[in-house]
Amino acid sequence: MKKVVLLTVLVNLIFAGTVVLAEDVKSDKEKMKLTDLVKKPLHIILDPIGGGGFADLIMFPVETVTRPLFDLGDVVITPGRTREYVYNINKSISVIDSEDMEYTNYRDVGQALTHHSGIVSSGYFGNEKDAQVAIRGFGETGLMNYLVLVDGRRTNQIDMSGADLAQVDISSIERIEIIKGGNSVLYGDNATGGVINIITKEGKEGHHVKYEQRLGSYQSHKEYVSTNGSEKFLDYFASYSFQDSDGYRLNNAYEANDAFASIMVKPDDFLDVHFSSGYHNDWYGQPGALYDGNIQSDGREGSRFPDDKAKTEDYYFTMTPRLFGEVEG
């Protein structure tokens, strides 16, 4: 009987993947893997003999072999507004994390979305300003049938023209959660085809400063700087970016400024308050469509409206308090 009970507990631990501590609802970083149950006693026994790295050296082959068994995939919050493993959710979910965005060198959010099945992105200007997304094959009506959230905040325009995907700089995004299919029950209008939740970065352990510069064709350039860090009572992240491009057509220039800040105040173990604020402005040309006659006379880089310009300005401030408790029993 004892063997059966022990075997049952072991199987449950393997499929659960992690042993969650009381305060683990706050952060994914605080999860303890199954291999940690073995590694901790090894550290206690072997650290006085061979130093702190001896136990890690022994457990490295074991973790490499068993990692696929214990990996339950990404943790997402968009479908039910609570943290949940992807494998537990009966919806089509895709996650683009910051490592994916850095590895593939996506230029903007619209470009990142086009690399996922079921999503079509198009535009006339050739820059991130007019990225038009359609999910689940809605076609021409796609703009009014998908909802874009930034940290859970609705960003769709009230005139049904779709969301402005340029208002958040991709370098300040931690991950993008894409939920395909109807979600109007939870999120209201615009969520008929799906929901795109953009989750911004927060402070990480230590103190870091990053500077990034990109150069491209058509006199394109982008400068990005960020700083982030974490202390016992405070996490912070702040960034600023400037980008400019002449575009491949006449009157196709694009210029944008983005500033973002995120501060997490943690006065106690059961309470934290998250402040976030963002500012975006841009100027861009509107070259318009070309007819066959225009292409023959001016080429594909011409414009029928060389003086039409547009400007966008967007800013927000949010404060989110959260309380945590322990379940006893």
Side-chain angles (χ1 to χ4, degrees):
M1 183 64 180
K2 291 182 178 179
K3 293 182 178 180
V4 174
V5 173
L6 182 60
L7 181 60
T8 304
V9 172
L10 181 60
V11 170
N12 280 315
L13 286 173
I14 291 175
F15 281 97
T18 58
V19 176
V20 182
L21 304 178
E23 58 270 13
D24 277 358
V25 292
K26 293 184 180 180
S27 173
D28 295 336
K29 298 176 183 178
E30 298 173 2
K31 290 176 184 173
M32 184 172 65
K33 295 180 180 178
L34 183 60
T35 50
D36 291 338
L37 297 176
V38 181
K39 185 186 292 187
K40 287 192 175 183
L42 281 178
H43 274 291
I44 295 174
I45 298 172
L46 299 177
D47 283 1
I49 302 174
F54 194 50
D56 293 332
L57 183 62
I58 294 175
M59 288 300 297
F60 178 76
V62 179
E63 288 183 325
T64 303
V65 173
T66 59
R67 187 178 294 116
L69 296 175
F70 306 143
D71 185 9
L72 300 181
D74 297 299
V75 175
V76 295
I77 62 174
T78 306
R81 298 185 179 179
T82 57
R83 293 181 182 271
E84 186 59 88
Y85 284 107
V86 170
Y87 88 103
N88 269 340
I89 302 169
N90 60 347
K91 287 182 178 292
S92 176
I93 302 174
S94 301
V95 179
I96 310 172
D97 58 28
S98 57
E99 291 183 359
D100 293 334
M101 288 183 276
E102 290 182 5
Y103 178 75
T104 51
N105 200 27
Y106 292 132
R107 185 181 67 246
D108 51 63
V109 176
Q111 190 181 58
L113 295 175
T114 57
H115 286 73
H116 289 264
S117 60
I119 300 178
V120 178
S121 178
S122 60
Y124 296 102
F125 299 160
N127 57 46
E128 60 187 282
K129 188 59 189 178
D130 74 324
Q132 302 177 15
V133 174
I135 302 178
R136 292 300 196 193
F138 274 90
E140 293 182 355
T141 62
L143 291 177
M144 64 182 73
N145 284 291
Y146 77 96
L147 176 65
V148 176
L149 309 173
V150 177
D151 293 331
R153 178 181 60 89
R154 294 175 61 95
T155 64
N156 285 58
Q157 304 296 317
I158 60 174
D159 60 358
M160 298 187 296
S161 62
D164 184 3
L165 297 178
Q167 63 182 287
V168 179
D169 187 84
I170 193 169
S171 300
S172 298
I173 296 175
E174 180 64 30
R175 68 183 187 273
I176 303 173
E177 298 178 0
I178 307 165
I179 316 299
K180 305 186 188 80
N183 287 272
S184 296
V185 173
L186 277 178
Y187 295 101
D189 59 345
N190 300 116
T192 315
V195 177
I196 299 171
N197 192 10
I198 299 172
I199 299 171
T200 55
K201 291 182 178 179
E202 297 181 0
K204 297 182 179 180
E205 185 177 354
H207 300 279
H208 315 275
V209 176
K210 178 181 180 181
Y211 176 77
E212 180 181 298
Q213 185 166 24
R214 299 185 181 184
L215 301 174
S217 55
Y218 308 109
Q219 305 296 318
S220 300
H221 63 93
K222 176 182 177 181
E223 291 75 40
Y224 172 84
V225 61
S226 69
T227 179
N228 75 88
S230 178
E231 295 289 350
K232 184 176 181 181
F233 302 106
L234 179 71
D235 298 341
Y236 67 90
F237 177 89
S239 66
Y240 171 77
S241 69
F242 172 78
Q243 54 184 316
D244 186 22
S245 175
D246 289 345
Y248 75 99
R249 293 178 59 189
L250 179 66
N251 192 28
N252 193 202
Y254 176 73
E255 180 180 320
N257 291 274
D258 289 277
F260 173 75
S262 171
I263 299 175
M264 181 79 75
V265 182
K266 302 174 288 186
D268 209 321
D269 292 338
F270 64 88
L271 171 67
D272 63 40
V273 184
H274 182 213
F275 301 90
S276 66
S277 180
Y279 176 79
H280 168 84
N281 66 30
D282 57 50
W283 299 264
Y284 56 98
Q286 295 181 305
L290 293 174
Y291 298 123
D292 290 340
N294 303 121
I295 295 177
Q296 293 177 4
S297 60
D298 302 327
R300 295 183 179 273
E301 298 179 358
S303 172
R304 295 168 53 221
F305 309 98
D307 299 320
D308 286 5
K309 310 289 183 181
K311 178 183 178 180
T312 303
E313 185 175 33
D314 178 81
Y315 55 88
Y316 69 92
F317 176 82
T318 64
M319 181 183 70
T320 308
R322 297 187 297 180
L323 292 173
F324 302 93
E326 297 183 8
V327 179
E328 298 181 359

